[in-house]
Amino acid sequence: MSTDLPASGELPAEAPAESAEAPAESAEVPPDTAEAAELPVPGPRRTDGPVPGVLGRLASTVERLRREVREAQAAADGRALIELAKGILIGQLTCGPAEAEAQLAALAERANVTVLELAADIINQAAQDGITDTAREFVAAGGPAPHGGDRSAPAEPVSPALRLRTAEAAAMAADDIHTVARSVLDHALAPLDAGAAVIWEAQPDGSLRLAGSAGFTAEEAARWHYVPPGVPTPARSALTARDLVRFDSVASGPPGIGRRQLTGTRIAVPAGIGGRLTCVLEICWAARTAEQPPAVLRQFEALAELCARALESAPEIQPGALIPAADARLRELLDLVDGLHDPGLLLKPLLDDRGAVADFLISHVNTRFVDFAGRPAAAVAGATLLEAYPLSAEPGGLFQLVEHVHATGEPYRSANLGLAALIDDVPLTITAEAALSRHGDHVVCVWRTRDESSRVASLLQHAQRLGRIGGFEEDLRTGAATWNETVFDLYGLPPTAPPVTLDQLAAHCHPDDRHAIGRFVRTLLHHRRPADTAFRLNRPDGVVRHIRIVAEPVLDQWSRLAAVRGAYQDVSAQHWTEVALAATREQLAHTEEQAAARNRLALQLQHAIMPVGRGPLDLTGLRIAVRYRPAEKDHMVGGDWYDAVTLPSKRILLCVGDVAGHGIEAATGMVALRNALRGLAATGSGPAQLLGWLNNVTHHLTDHVTATAVCALYDPADRTLSWARAGHLPPVLLRRGRAETVPPLGGILLGALADADYEEGTLQLEAGDTLMMYTDGLIERKDRTLQESLDGLVALTERAFGAARDARDQAPLERHLDHLLTHSSADTDDDTCLIGIQVC
């Protein structure tokens, strides 16, 4: 029986002479084990031709040792089949192990087959599984020729059942999925010229993880350890189709692992357990092969099911665990990283051709790793640092820091390290606490980011602290209460003290508030409704706090009261603020009442001197009309005043004035000046003298009062008007429909200086003339100069005269004054006093 077929399709070369010189222990192999050694084992074959000298003998020795290793592996795999078949015979024949072994050897000799082939047939008959069905289909179809269907090649020396069962036995004994892939390739696929096999694990998120591979370098397997969701590969196509798919070459199909190494046919077979597709077996050839018959495709499906069972029973492989477990120091470092409570990465330097660090391989991530960019851990593990985080290459970034730590061994710590990632061409940057340290040739990177929930929790803690709010929860079934730190502080208790429960709350409050606490507890526990109340808390240190408590009942799934949760809030500051505010409000109300009384008194005094509704006066040769408009606001009661009276000398005193200020002080000052001027006018002196005396009265006899005034004396005999002014606006003269201001005279306002001189002037009036004297409340505006206001008054006076003359009523003077008040554009909200003097 031939020992094997080469993977390249060449016939095996003749064994070297040294192979006859097997070790002594090899000669003592039992017969069944010797038969097992005939299992085909793929591998390199010795080339024909002599090999000269010492190198030739060394090469022959290496070849012999390789063959012995393969034969030992084959014997071990075959021995597992034989032991399994012996177990089946023991159960069926009810015999012992030795008798079953002898019976197996006798049956094989009688059937003219090897013990291994007979063992595989016995297992197939007993198992009746997918491998059994595959073997039967293969035999029924006549079996294809090996090497891609080439019938000119020698017939296949080993049955498919034996190959499949041997692969199954090796897979069952394998420690990891990589060994399973190697067993599937060596025992079942290499005889069909396959060059590599890959076992992909289908992840719940649609991604693929390389669980095991054979025929590829470790570097290539590390590059393809993870395939993100949606990336087209042969395995992805098989999962999408939920059936076996074939691609004649890498160029005609989607890209895959080792596409530069094996460019030929690729077949991807999905499989799973319990109706779930959990893995894909990808088979790769170096060159294009002919279409395989259905019997061979069934072999591939059986092998895929074998891989799925092995993957299901294999221990979970942590993402990124690319470090060999045999390296004890690295294993200790890996355990250290896995024991961290923060996300950690293990970085291995990658050197360029000159021996300088070109990048760092993320060789491992711990179980707590969470990528701040939202990617799964498997997408980061196995990639390089610059591939996973390209923005870390910026000056002062993570890559430069890792490079510095690796070069110097100096650890790095930072509470505000900027981490950046590029997700869908959008840069994402966060701030994290980070620590870097070198361990041997590796660098451990640990970071801690604050997610949204931690930030919200931190903000809530600060808000509770600032608002003096503390939360509590009480389990009514156990009677246990839980407080946070703020509640202990509000009660003035140490954190080790037992929390106060609801039934104990009344004992800690002011006696007057116990009824309120009772209503609160009844509403909460008996009526099962949310409740709140305020009470005074008596603390152990004697301090009384004003507390507001709010709580709600918590019901279980059977609508029974299970717990109460709520919050305490210290409202002491608010309480005392409200007390102070109430006192201030009361004082303000009292002050407002006093001000209103003063304003009413001032208004009554003003109206007593100058009634608003007073009618026109007819004096000798004059008709006098008065209009007074008080301020819109009561507190703006001013000191405007006027007077018109016939003196003993038959002359008529005409005056108007305005005391500075508002309120009772202005009103009393106005009464004093008005009465003083009347008394001084009885002396018969002229207007300038009268204002001089009135200035002395204002300066010495009143308390810091200032005022403006116009004083005039009219002589009916010759219609002359002598006048003087003390800082007041000049009168306006209306004659024959034309108005103009009287040229102003010099004179300072009353009360400004102790002694003041005033200029006196004379006007010759004519019959029909109208003279208007007024206070500044008639014309003043905030957006105009005084001269602009006077010019506006002159124009308005002419229009008012025309309107009064055209009116049908018999009082054109009153109509004239009313028009002036109505159309006045003043905006100072001051009192207005207007006197119209018409010469008859």
Side-chain angles (χ1 to χ4, degrees):
M1 176 179 287
S2 174
T3 58
D4 201 357
L5 288 177
S8 61
E10 297 178 355
L11 293 177
E14 191 176 84
E18 289 85 353
S19 63
E21 301 175 2
E25 56 268 25
S26 301
E28 298 177 0
V29 178
D32 53 353
T33 307
E35 291 293 334
E38 298 179 6
L39 180 69
V41 179
R45 291 292 183 263
R46 173 173 174 258
T47 58
D48 294 332
V51 181
V54 178
L55 292 180
R57 289 194 299 272
L58 180 60
S60 298
T61 302
V62 171
E63 178 68 20
R64 176 176 57 80
L65 293 176
R66 285 179 177 173
R67 185 173 65 254
E68 290 177 357
V69 171
R70 292 194 301 270
E71 290 173 354
Q73 291 175 346
D77 295 338
R79 189 64 191 172
L81 285 180
I82 293 173
E83 293 296 329
L84 186 57
K86 285 169 55 179
I88 295 173
L89 289 178
I90 291 172
Q92 292 180 349
L93 302 177
T94 316
C95 61
E99 185 180 353
E101 185 173 354
Q103 186 72 15
L104 185 63
L107 290 175
E109 184 178 1
R110 194 176 305 133
N112 195 23
V113 295
T114 65
V115 175
L116 278 175
E117 290 176 328
L118 180 59
D121 289 338
I122 293 174
I123 295 173
N124 284 338
Q125 293 177 8
Q128 296 297 323
D129 56 4
I131 295 179
T132 302
D133 296 338
T134 301
R136 289 175 180 172
E137 291 179 10
F138 188 85
V139 173
H147 318 301
D150 185 4
R151 286 287 179 180
S152 65
E156 187 178 20
V158 180
S159 67
L162 179 57
R163 290 191 291 103
L164 296 178
R165 289 300 178 189
T166 306
E168 181 184 33
M172 292 173 58
D175 294 330
D176 54 37
I177 305 302
H178 287 283
T179 307
V180 173
R182 171 56 61 185
S183 174
V184 169
L185 177 64
D186 290 346
H187 297 299
L189 297 178
L192 300 178
D193 290 343
V198 185
I199 300 174
W200 299 97
E201 182 182 5
Q203 301 289 339
D205 62 352
S207 62
L208 293 172
R209 182 177 67 85
L210 193 152
S213 65
F216 294 110
T217 63
E219 291 78 8
E220 185 69 9
R223 289 182 61 247
W224 285 85
H225 76 282
Y226 174 79
V227 178
V231 176
T233 62
R236 172 73 59 206
S237 301
L239 286 175
T240 303
R242 303 178 65 182
D243 199 357
L244 181 149
V245 296
R246 170 191 169 96
F247 298 96
D248 290 334
S249 65
V250 174
S252 63
I257 181 174
R259 52 185 175 179
R260 295 182 179 86
Q261 178 183 352
L262 299 173
T263 60
T265 301
R266 298 210 171 189
I267 291 180
V269 188
I273 302 296
R276 294 181 298 111
L277 295 180
T278 58
C279 82
V280 177
L281 173 62
E282 184 176 347
I283 309 167
C284 309
W285 281 265
R288 180 172 179 176
T289 63
E291 292 282 348
Q292 288 88 355
V296 176
L297 298 182
R298 281 290 298 143
Q299 294 183 37
F300 297 157
E301 294 174 354
L303 291 172
E305 293 176 2
L306 173 64
C307 296
R309 290 197 301 271
L311 192 62
E312 187 75 15
S313 59
E316 182 179 358
I317 301 176
Q318 294 296 334
L322 305 179
I323 300 175
D327 192 330
R329 289 178 299 176
L330 292 183
R331 177 54 57 185
E332 292 177 357
L333 183 56
L334 188 147
D335 293 339
L336 172 64
V337 175
D338 285 338
L340 298 174
H341 290 282
D342 294 318
L345 304 88
L346 193 59
L347 305 175
K348 178 182 179 181
L350 300 177
L351 307 181
D352 57 15
D353 297 337
R354 297 175 298 174
V357 175
D359 204 344
F360 290 89
L361 176 67
I362 304 177
S363 57
H364 183 74
V365 296
N366 62 5
T367 55
R368 295 181 180 272
F369 177 80
V370 177
D371 181 43
F372 64 88
R375 296 170 294 187
V380 177
T384 66
L385 185 60
L386 293 180
E387 288 175 353
Y389 305 103
L391 296 182
S392 67
E394 62 183 358
L398 179 62
F399 183 84
Q400 185 175 352
L401 296 175
V402 172
E403 199 174 30
H404 177 78
V405 171
H406 178 264
T408 63
E410 178 183 354
Y412 172 81
R413 302 286 187 274
S414 175
N416 296 288
L417 176 64
L419 298 177
L422 197 63
I423 306 300
D424 295 333
D425 296 330
V426 177
L428 173 67
T429 304
I430 67 166
T431 301
E433 299 178 19
L436 304 173
S437 58
R438 190 181 72 182
H439 299 267
D441 196 36
H442 291 73
V443 175
V444 175
C445 176
V446 181
W447 65 51
R448 178 185 299 171
T449 61
R450 285 193 172 187
D451 55 10
E452 187 65 24
S453 59
S454 2
R455 286 194 295 269
V456 171
S458 177
L459 290 175
L460 181 59
Q461 290 178 354
H462 289 299
Q464 290 178 342
R465 177 180 57 84
L466 295 174
R468 303 280 292 169
I469 300 174
F472 73 92
E473 185 172 88
E474 182 175 339
D475 190 336
L476 299 179
R477 292 170 294 191
T478 63
T482 304
W483 286 359
N484 67 359
E485 183 180 353
T486 307
V487 181
F488 284 101
D489 183 55
L490 294 180
Y491 270 81
L493 297 174
T496 56
V500 177
T501 58
L502 290 177
D503 57 352
Q504 302 170 343
L505 185 58
H508 292 75
C509 71
H510 192 279
D512 295 343
D513 297 332
R514 291 176 181 173
H515 292 293
I517 293 296
R519 288 193 299 270
F520 168 77
V521 174
R522 285 194 301 273
T523 303
L524 195 62
L525 301 183
H526 298 288
H527 301 292
R528 301 181 181 180
R529 295 198 305 264
D532 68 281
T533 188
F535 66 96
R536 286 162 288 181
L537 176 66
N538 293 327
R539 298 183 2 153
D541 55 5
V543 176
V544 177
R545 287 284 183 185
H546 292 263
I547 302 295
R548 181 176 180 268
I549 182 174
V550 56
E552 64 177 1
V554 179
L555 306 180
D556 59 15
Q557 55 183 339
W558 297 283
S559 298
R560 296 179 300 191
L561 186 62
V564 172
R565 59 185 169 214
Y568 289 93
Q569 182 180 15
D570 187 354
V571 295
S572 301
Q574 178 182 351
H575 170 77
W576 293 117
T577 300
E578 291 177 353
V579 171
L581 182 61
T584 304
R585 189 182 298 112
E586 182 178 354
Q587 183 178 3
L588 180 61
H590 179 68
T591 303
E592 289 178 349
E593 289 180 1
Q594 288 183 332
R598 291 167 57 88
N599 292 335
R600 285 194 300 271
L601 179 60
L603 189 61
Q604 291 172 359
L605 183 60
Q606 188 181 53
H607 290 174
I609 301 300
M610 297 175 300
V612 177
R614 185 175 180 179
L617 299 176
D618 289 323
L619 300 178
T620 305
L622 295 178
R623 182 175 178 82
I624 302 174
V626 179
R627 289 295 183 267
Y628 178 76
R629 181 176 63 191
E632 294 183 6
K633 299 178 182 178
D634 292 342
H635 70 276
M636 294 290 289
V637 173
D640 290 8
W641 55 277
Y642 68 92
D643 200 3
V645 61
T646 302
L647 299 176
S649 61
K650 305 302 180 181
R651 291 190 298 177
I652 300 174
L653 174 65
L654 303 171
C655 60
V656 64
D658 185 4
V659 176
H662 299 88
I664 188 65
E665 290 82 4
T668 54
M670 171 266 296
V671 172
L673 294 183
R674 183 173 182 271
N675 292 338
L677 185 58
R678 271 197 176 190
L680 293 172
T683 62
S685 301
Q689 184 64 54
L690 294 178
L691 289 181
W693 289 336
L694 189 60
N695 176 70
N696 291 331
V697 172
T698 305
H699 185 76
H700 295 288
L701 300 183
T702 59
D703 187 14
H704 305 295
V705 172
T706 59
T708 63
V710 171
C711 179
L713 292 174
Y714 176 73
D715 189 351
D718 55 3
R719 295 178 178 172
T720 59
L721 181 74
S722 57
W723 70 288
R725 74 183 187 102
H728 202 83
L729 298 174
V732 174
L733 177 62
L734 178 64
R735 177 175 292 172
R736 292 187 289 275
R738 298 297 302 274
E740 61 180 355
T741 57
V742 177
L745 303 175
I748 194 171
L749 75 165
L750 302 174
L753 298 176
D755 295 315
D757 295 328
Y758 294 90
E759 184 179 354
E760 186 173 311
T762 302
L763 287 177
Q764 184 62 51
L765 299 180
E766 300 177 0
D769 288 349
T770 301
L771 186 69
M772 287 183 300
M773 303 167 67
Y774 52 91
T775 58
D776 54 6
L778 180 67
I779 64 170
E780 276 191 346
R781 286 189 60 87
K782 300 174 182 178
D783 57 348
R784 292 183 184 176
T785 63
L786 181 60
Q787 186 58 48
E788 290 175 344
S789 298
L790 288 174
D791 294 341
L793 177 62
V794 170
L796 181 60
T797 300
E798 293 180 354
R799 291 196 299 272
F801 174 76
R805 185 178 54 186
D806 296 338
R808 298 179 180 179
D809 61 333
Q810 300 300 319
L813 181 59
E814 289 81 358
R815 183 74 176 180
H816 185 178
L817 299 185
D818 291 337
H819 188 90
L820 288 178
L821 287 178
T822 301
H823 296 85
S824 170
S825 60
D827 61 358
T828 56
D829 192 26
D830 199 359
D831 287 358
T832 299
C833 183
L834 177 62
I835 303 175
I837 305 167
Q838 191 175 49
V839 180
C840 299

